């Protein structure tokens, strides 16, 4: 087993097992995992900063068993943590990935996926964005999600709300409305997202469902509004996803979404690790408005 | 859920809300929250031995992720009374080849594997057999769970020899091969027909549980609706 000591920002960090295959069908080792997260760090870190991270760890690779780790695993003293509510009465200590050394440390634990709540750790009940998690049911695909995302975006434009979109890195899309205000709790964002989902469903009943049941979802896009909850997490922008290939949950513009969807090839709405790194170098962070754009929800 | 079983939700007849079960304490006449509920084994009416979740966990076997077959037997050897419930097995990723191999060999040899397997915290004795290229696990009753037939057989009484031959004859006349497709659950079919007819015209809607009609939200809904139609 290989072992190296890295020195990042004057902190020493041991990494190991770099030749281990983490996406065996594709040939992507732990070394390349660290390389990806190192390259994407300037773009992903602002989206992780100050949030209680949930690690989705795949110790034996993306096609094997995994576990969610909400509690911060045993760590060196420079890893920053936060105590956040867990369930109704309990608390837990979660990691905050605030800098490069912590990012590399969690990746050395084979945390292929990094999930974050829609709230910052210092204010766990304040929703700083609304999310619409678009999940295609059986016989539907990311192209149907793209149609739904564009309907949502047009609706938000008329309400004078800015929104942005990323691929889920699996089969769906995530549309966000940033709020960055201390005015809204999850009760309000849930009310808003639910009303939006219901209106879209009412007007496009063949495309969209608001029901979780599998049979309601056949051939349709499920708008999962219930993700707007203090106890839920979403995969972070720029996180890898476990799967056959190292796809990323990757931001894109609505114009791109529209033109790529018109090509009618679902694979045009998937971005691999290397493509994502090239994109951010060229386009910058298409999710930067998520960090500080302040908006108000109408009528709430 | 059992296949073929039609199940119903209990609804409130006033507003069609789906109802929930709650634990009720008859002594205090109030609903008991889950954190106040513990488990006890009833020794005699009103007298219980308490058992903690830790104690239950300590005797529960670890969940098995694999089924290890201990021995193989001929399928015909098992008295049908032992069969409890069948389940289909699906292979884990990477296990497809050995799954297929086992299913083929078992079909050819007419053998069943005997194994122990943990399901829902209980360890079961199971058979593994092959059916249409798939593997089937059937849970079996343990032998001490099977009541002896003797307890239920009527006391001896004499039967005349001609009565015996008469019955033998009529059984012979009714002999046929078993074709399960001939039979169906008639009650279920009738029930499904009624439900199908009703879904088209008489479906009832539960009230919204989280009030979308809460203060101010009507305006939001109206604005959203308007945004859908303005061009």
């Amino acid at each position: 087993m290989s072992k190296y000591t890295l020195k990042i920002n004057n902190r020493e960090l041991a990494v190991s097992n770099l030749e281990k295959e983490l996406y065996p069908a594709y040939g992507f080792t732990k070394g390349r995992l660290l390389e990806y997260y190192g390259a994407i760090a300037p773009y992903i870190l602002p989206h992780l900063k100050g949030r209680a991270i949930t690690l989705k760890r795949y110790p034996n690779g993306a096609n094997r068993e995994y576990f969610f780790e909400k509690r911060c695993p045993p760590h060196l003293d420079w890893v920053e943590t936060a105590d956040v509510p867990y369930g109704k009465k309990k608390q837990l200590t979660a990691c905050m990935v605030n800098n490069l050394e912590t990012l590399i440390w969690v990746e050395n634990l084979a945390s292929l996926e990094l999930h974050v709540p829609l709230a910052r750790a210092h204010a766990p009940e304040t929703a700083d964005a609304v999310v619409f998690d678009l999940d295609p049911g059986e016989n539907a695909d990311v192209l149907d999600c793209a149609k739904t995302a564009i309907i949502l975006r047009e609706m938000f434009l008329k309400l004078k709300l800015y929104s942005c979109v990323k691929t889920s890195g699996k089969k769906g899309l995530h549309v966000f409305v940033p709020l960055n205000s201390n005015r809204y709790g999850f009760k309000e964002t849930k009310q808003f997202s639910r009303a939006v989902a219901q209106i879209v469903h009412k007007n496009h009943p063949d495309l969209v469902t608001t029901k979780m049941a599998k049979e309601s979802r056949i051939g349709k896009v499920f708008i999962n509004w219930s993700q707007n909850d203090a106890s839920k997490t979403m995969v972070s922008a720029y996180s890898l996803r476990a799967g056959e290939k190292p796809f990323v949950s990757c931001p894109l513009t609505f114009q791109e979404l529209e033109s790529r969807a018109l090509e009618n090839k679902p694979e045009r709405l998937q971005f691999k690790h290397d493509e994502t790194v090239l994109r951010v170098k060229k386009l910058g962070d298409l999710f930067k408005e998520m960090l500080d754009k302040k908006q108000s929800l109408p009528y709430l | 859920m059992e296949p073929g079983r039609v199940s119903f939700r209990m609804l409130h007849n006033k507003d069609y809300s789906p109802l929930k079960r709650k634990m009720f304490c008859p002594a205090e006449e109030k609903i008991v929250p889950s954190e106040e509920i513990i488990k006890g084994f009833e020794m005699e009416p009103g007298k219980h031995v308490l058992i903690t979740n830790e104690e239950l966990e300590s005797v529960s076997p670890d969940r098995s992720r694999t089924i290890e077959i201990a021995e193989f037997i001929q399928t015909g050897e098992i008295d049908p009374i032992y069969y409890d419930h069948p389940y289909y097995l699906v292979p884990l990723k990477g296990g497809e080849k050995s799954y297929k191999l086992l299913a083929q060999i078992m079909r050819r040899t007419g053998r069943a594997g005997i194994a122990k397997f943990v399901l829902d915290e209980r360890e079961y004795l199971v058979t593994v057999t092959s059916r249409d290229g798939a593997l089937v696990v059937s849970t079996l009753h343990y032998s001490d769970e099977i009541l002896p037939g003797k307890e239920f057989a009527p006391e001896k009484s004499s039967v005349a020899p001609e009565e015996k031959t008469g019955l033998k004859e009529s059984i012979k006349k009714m002999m046929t091969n078993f074709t399960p497709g001939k039979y169906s659950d008639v009650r279920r079919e009738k029930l499904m027909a009624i439900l199908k007819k009703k879904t088209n015209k008489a479906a009832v809607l539960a009230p919204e549980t989280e009030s979308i009609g809460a203060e101010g939200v009507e305006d939001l809904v109206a604005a959203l609706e308007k945004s859908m139609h303005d061009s």
Side-chain angles (χ1 to χ4, degrees):
Chain A
M1 193 170 101
S2 60
K3 240 187 160 153
Y4 300 91
T5 304
L6 300 180
K7 202 162 181 188
I8 308 171
N9 297 334
N10 273 328
R11 284 168 175 157
E12 285 195 356
L13 172 65
V15 296
S16 58
N17 237 351
L18 299 183
E19 59 292 331
K20 185 167 195 128
E21 288 288 351
L22 290 180
Y23 290 79
Y26 184 78
F28 188 86
T29 59
K30 194 161 147 195
R32 298 190 66 192
L33 177 80
L34 299 186
E35 207 180 307
Y36 168 73
Y37 276 105
I40 206 74
Y43 302 93
I44 194 175
L45 281 171
H47 296 285
L48 303 176
K49 198 170 182 201
R51 289 172 200 269
I53 304 288
T54 298
L55 309 174
K56 197 172 176 193
R57 295 175 59 183
Y58 289 78
N60 296 310
N63 59 336
R64 303 289 290 278
E65 74 290 345
Y66 60 83
F67 55 98
F68 281 99
E69 198 153 48
K70 280 186 187 285
R71 278 173 217 285
C72 194
H75 52 269
L76 297 164
D77 55 6
W78 47 259
V79 171
E80 292 171 47
T81 61
D83 292 330
V84 289
Y86 180 57
K88 282 211 178 89
K89 289 181 185 160
K90 291 179 203 159
Q91 267 207 337
L92 62 75
T93 303
C95 319
M96 291 195 290
V97 177
N98 288 348
N99 48 43
L100 178 62
E101 53 273 32
T102 312
L103 179 61
I104 299 302
W105 171 66
V106 297
E107 289 314 318
N108 186 52
L109 301 173
S111 310
L112 301 190
E113 301 188 359
L114 300 174
H115 293 244
V116 285
L118 291 157
R120 282 141 171 134
H122 65 84
E125 302 295 336
T126 301
D128 48 28
V130 190
V131 67
F132 297 83
D133 179 1
L134 309 183
D135 190 8
E138 222 177 284
N139 298 334
D141 60 19
V142 71
L143 299 172
D144 300 300
C145 293
K147 278 184 215 155
T148 312
I150 288 162
I151 292 169
L152 286 174
R153 194 226 179 189
E154 279 167 10
M155 190 172 189
F156 297 144
L157 278 179
K158 284 175 196 152
L159 295 168
K160 305 209 162 39
L161 284 172
Y162 170 89
S163 58
C164 48
V165 64
K166 66 180 172 78
T167 62
S168 73
K170 296 222 158 172
K171 290 174 182 157
L173 293 175
H174 301 152
V175 175
F176 286 88
V177 175
L179 301 175
N180 294 303
S181 142
N182 53 15
R183 278 177 51 198
Y184 302 108
F186 287 95
K187 184 171 164 265
E188 285 79 24
T189 56
K190 201 180 277 180
Q191 242 172 7
F192 178 75
S193 59
R194 186 172 189 217
V196 167
Q198 286 178 338
I199 297 291
V200 176
H201 163 65
K202 202 174 135 204
N203 288 279
H204 300 272
D206 297 331
L207 178 65
V208 163
T209 177
T210 57
K211 293 203 179 70
M212 180 110 40
K214 252 201 169 133
E215 54 272 25
S216 315
R217 291 160 70 166
I218 295 171
K220 292 186 190 158
V221 174
F222 170 47
I223 303 186
N224 190 355
W225 49 269
S226 67
Q227 287 296 109
N228 292 291
D229 193 283
S231 68
K232 297 280 172 69
T233 59
M234 292 293 295
V235 72
S236 169
Y238 306 112
S239 167
L240 282 167
R241 298 307 300 266
E244 249 176 50
K245 295 179 185 168
F247 287 129
V248 175
S249 180
C250 182
L252 69 170
T253 64
F254 279 101
Q255 288 74 13
E256 261 185 300
L257 179 71
E258 214 160 352
S259 61
R260 282 174 182 252
L262 281 173
E263 293 174 45
N264 226 6
K265 291 184 203 132
E267 63 274 17
R268 291 283 288 142
L269 288 169
Q270 286 289 18
F271 299 91
K272 282 205 300 261
H273 62 106
D274 43 1
E275 196 182 346
T276 305
V277 172
L278 290 177
R279 284 172 63 83
V280 291
K281 288 200 173 135
K282 195 167 137 222
L283 305 168
D285 179 11
L286 295 176
F287 249 39
K288 62 176 182 296
E289 303 284 15
M290 285 295 290
L291 301 172
D292 44 26
K293 189 168 186 73
K294 288 194 192 321
Q295 300 194 99
S296 306
L297 290 174
Y299 305 104
L300 283 175
Chain B
M1 201 172 79
E2 283 175 60
R5 194 188 149 96
V6 185
S7 61
F8 294 98
R9 290 286 309 254
M10 303 291 174
L11 304 180
H12 190 189
N13 70 358
K14 293 209 174 88
D15 62 357
Y16 311 122
S17 287
L19 298 176
K20 271 190 194 165
R21 285 175 202 276
K22 291 272 181 189
M23 290 302 195
F24 182 76
C25 173
E28 283 190 53
E29 294 199 332
K30 68 175 197 197
I31 290 174
V32 181
S34 62
E35 62 266 25
E36 288 177 24
I37 298 176
I38 53 171
K39 292 192 178 87
F41 178 79
E42 190 165 51
M43 305 297 283
E44 56 190 77
K47 196 172 174 190
H48 299 93
V49 180
L50 299 184
I51 188 137
T52 64
N53 287 337
E54 289 72 38
E55 284 169 314
L56 277 175
E57 251 166 51
S58 72
V59 296
S60 302
D62 287 337
R63 278 179 57 156
S64 31
R65 304 205 47 149
T66 51
I67 300 180
E68 272 174 53
I69 295 177
E71 46 193 6
F72 286 94
I73 53 154
Q74 284 293 337
T75 38
E77 272 180 71
I78 302 168
D79 182 340
I81 200 165
Y82 278 91
Y83 285 112
D84 181 18
H85 204 290
Y87 302 89
Y88 277 112
L89 284 178
V90 287
L92 273 179
K93 229 180 184 169
E96 292 91 350
K97 202 174 150 194
S98 32
Y99 180 100
K100 219 167 148 185
L101 185 68
L102 185 60
Q104 272 175 8
I105 302 235
M106 296 230 273
R107 196 194 56 211
R108 259 187 245 146
T109 55
R111 297 261 166 181
I114 297 281
K116 281 204 163 183
F117 179 54
V118 178
L119 195 73
D120 290 339
E121 306 199 331
R122 211 192 130 177
E123 191 173 47
Y124 287 90
L125 184 63
V126 300
T127 61
V128 182
T129 51
S130 149
R131 181 185 153 81
D132 303 335
L135 290 175
V136 177
V137 160
S138 302
T139 53
L140 301 181
H141 294 292
Y142 284 108
S143 57
D144 59 3
E145 293 168 4
I146 306 278
L147 299 174
K150 269 188 283 186
E151 283 179 20
F152 303 92
E155 297 286 308
K156 263 186 200 157
S157 63
S158 59
V159 182
E162 57 269 28
E163 283 180 293
K164 266 192 202 168
T165 38
L167 185 58
K168 266 191 201 161
E169 280 304 309
S170 33
I171 289 180
K172 221 183 236 170
K173 272 186 217 152
M174 291 165 73
M175 282 289 275
T176 170
N177 289 320
F178 179 50
T179 40
K182 259 193 343 201
Y183 302 92
S184 62
D185 183 343
V186 180
R187 176 179 179 268
R188 177 172 182 268
E189 281 176 4
K190 286 185 180 162
L191 204 53
M192 289 311 287
I194 295 178
L195 291 176
K196 205 174 163 196
K197 231 196 222 154
K198 283 195 160 180
T199 40
N200 296 330
K201 40 187 179 187
V204 294
L205 282 180
E208 303 286 358
T209 42
E210 269 165 86
S211 54
I212 191 167
E215 262 172 81
V217 184
E218 297 97 329
D219 296 338
L220 168 64
V221 171
L224 293 174
E225 187 73 71
K226 189 163 170 282
S227 76
M228 276 263 122
H229 301 293
D230 290 355
S231 51

